[in-house]
Amino acid sequence: MKTQTDRIIIFDTTLRDGEQCPGATLNVDEKLIIARQLARLGVDVIEAGFAYASLGDFEAVQKIAQTVGTEDGPMICSLARAIKADIKAAAEAIKPAAKGRIHTFISTSDIHLEYQLRKTRGEVLAIAEEMVAYAKSFIDDVEFSPMDAARSDPEFLYQVLERTIASGATTVNIPDTVGYMTPSEFGDLIRGIRENVPNIDKAVISVHGHNDLGLAVANFLEAVKNGARQLECTINGIGERAGNASLEELVMALHVRRQYYNPFLGRPAESEESLTNIDTRQIYKTSRLVSNLTGMLVQPNKAIVGANAFAHESGIHQDGVLKNKLTYEIMDAKLIGLTDNQIVLGKHSGRHAFGARLKELGFELSDTDLNKAFVKFKDVADKKKEISDWDLEAIVNDEIQQAPELFRVELVQVSCGSNACPTATVTLRTPEGEELTDAAIGTGPVDAVYKAINRVVNVPNQLIEFSVQSVTAGIDAIGEVTIRLKHEDRIFAGHSANTDIIVASAQAYVNALNRLYAALQTKGENSATAVGKGV
Ligand code: KIV
Ligand code: ZN
C-alpha cells in the first residue's frame, strides 16, 4: 500500500498546540466557532485538542467531532501521550467524527529520555510500538510523533519509525519541538528518513515545528522538497513559546511559488492545480477570528495577514503599483480574502441588504445572530455615516463571537481632561440580573473605568495587555480594544469594537472577566462572598 500523497495535507493544530500559548485559552463554544471556520478554510485535519488533559478539552474535541467532523468535513484528531488512558480518552472523544485520528507521541531524544522520561531507548521503543498498536485497536488512522525528533539520534529515530509503522502508524510526524533546526538540516533529516526507514512508503511523512529561531516555515518548505506531505501548522503561527509554523505563510508560499514546488510533488512545473486544499480567500477572515478570540494580536508586518502586508508607503512603490500592481506585489490581496474595503452600507440600509453583504463576505449567521448583529449595525450606523466591509466584519465579530455573557455593561460614563481627575461610573448587570453601579478615580479614563468595574465584579486580576486599533481610517472609525488579564497563573483575553473607545475598553474588560468568571465557576471556586457581590 502506497500512502504518499501527491498534494500537501494541511493539519491544523491551532486548537491544540496553538491554544497552548499563554493566554490563548478558548472555551468550548469558541473552539467550535474556530473549528467551523477551519472547515470552511479547507484544512484536511483539525487537531481539536488533547482529550485527556481536562474535561473541557474532552468536551471540545467531542463537540467538534460531532458537528464539524462530517462525511465531507475535515478529519478530527486528538492528541494523546503514549499512555493507555490518554489514548482511550482520545478514541472516545473523536468517535462521533466521520473521519477520526489518534495522534500519539513519546520523546526520542537522549536529553528527553535521560532528564524527563528517565527511560532507556529500549523502553521507549517498546512503549511506542505497543501504544501505536493500542491506538490502532480503536481506529485505523493513527499518527505517531517521536517528540524532539530533530535532536534525536537519527539511527534510533529510523528504528522507532520503522517499528511504529509496522505497528500500524499511518502518518509519522517529525517534530522540531524546540525550533533548533535550519532548513537544510531539516530537509536532510526528512531525506534520511525516506532513505533509511524500510517501510516508510506505508506512511505519510508529516512535519511539526516551532519558531524559536524564526525558521519553522522555511524548514517545512525544505521538508516538502524532501518528501514531507503533511504540514502541522497554526493560524497566525500561534503556539508554544515563539509559536508554530504559520498556516497562511506555508499555504501562500506553496501557492505563489507553485511552479517552483510542483516538480517536487511529481507535477509539471507549469501545473496550475493547487498544492493544498485550502480556500485561500478564507485566510484573512480566519486570521482575524483567531486573533479576536484568543486575544493574540497579529503584528502589523506579519507576512500575509499583517495590517501592512499589502500596504505601500514609499512613493516609489506607490507609483509603481499605480502603473502596474506586479511592480511591487507578488500576490493579489483578494487572494487571501481581503476586500477593497468598499463603503457599502449606511443608516438607511435594511436588514436584507445587511444580511446579503455579510453573506458575500462569507459569514453564515443564524437568524438570531443576524438579528443581534443588525441591532449593533444600526447603532454604529447612527454614529458613523458610512459602513465599510471592515466595519461589518468588526460588528459581526464583536456581536456574535462573544464570551459567555455573565456580566453585562449597562452604562459607562467618564469625566476626564487636562486638570481633571479621571472619574468613571459604571453600571453592570450581574449574572443574577441585578444592576450594580459603582464609581472610581484612576490615572486616566480607562484606568478609572477598570477600577469601577473591579469594584462590582470583585475578582482579583492583573491587566497585562491593553491595545486599541482603529478598524478604518477617519475620526469616526470603529476602535477595537483587545486586552489580556491574569488571574493566578491563567490568562484571559477580551475583545470589543465600538466607535467609542472607552465603551469598547469597558466591554473588552468585562468580556475577559466573563471568561475568568466562567472558568472559576467550572472550578467551583466562586463562593458567593468572593465573586460578583460588589463591595
Ligand atoms: O512540539 C511537539 O513536539 C509537539 C508534539 C506533541 C507533536 O507538539
Ligand atoms: Zn508542538
Side-chain angles (χ1 to χ4, degrees), residues 455-486:
R455 289 171 66 87
V456 176
V457 179
N458 198 26
V459 187
N461 72 84
Q462 186 196 351
L463 184 69
I464 55 168
E465 199 174 306
F466 174 86
S467 115
V468 191
Q469 282 175 321
S470 82
V471 172
T472 46
I475 196 72
D476 60 353
I478 290 183
E480 284 190 314
V481 175
T482 306
I483 68 132
R484 301 208 298 154
L485 55 83
K486 196 169 180 179

Side-chain angles (χ1 to χ4, degrees), residues 237-253:
I238 65 168
E240 191 84 36
R241 304 184 310 280
N244 288 64
S246 131
L247 180 146
E248 58 280 1
E249 291 176 22
L250 287 165
V251 167
M252 291 314 289

Side-chain angles (χ1 to χ4, degrees), residues 16-17 79 103 105 145 147-148 173 175 177 208 210 232:
R16 198 278 297 170
D17 216 335
L79 186 70
H103 174 193
F105 71 97
S145 289
M147 184 144 105
D148 205 16
N173 178 44
T177 304
H208 178 107
H210 288 265
E232 300 202 352

Side-chain angles (χ1 to χ4, degrees), residues 251-260 330-331 335:
V251 167
M252 291 314 289
L254 290 169
H255 183 78
V256 172
R257 300 304 311 277
R258 57 192 180 279
Q259 290 177 350
Y260 174 74
I330 58 164
M331 58 194 148
L335 209 51

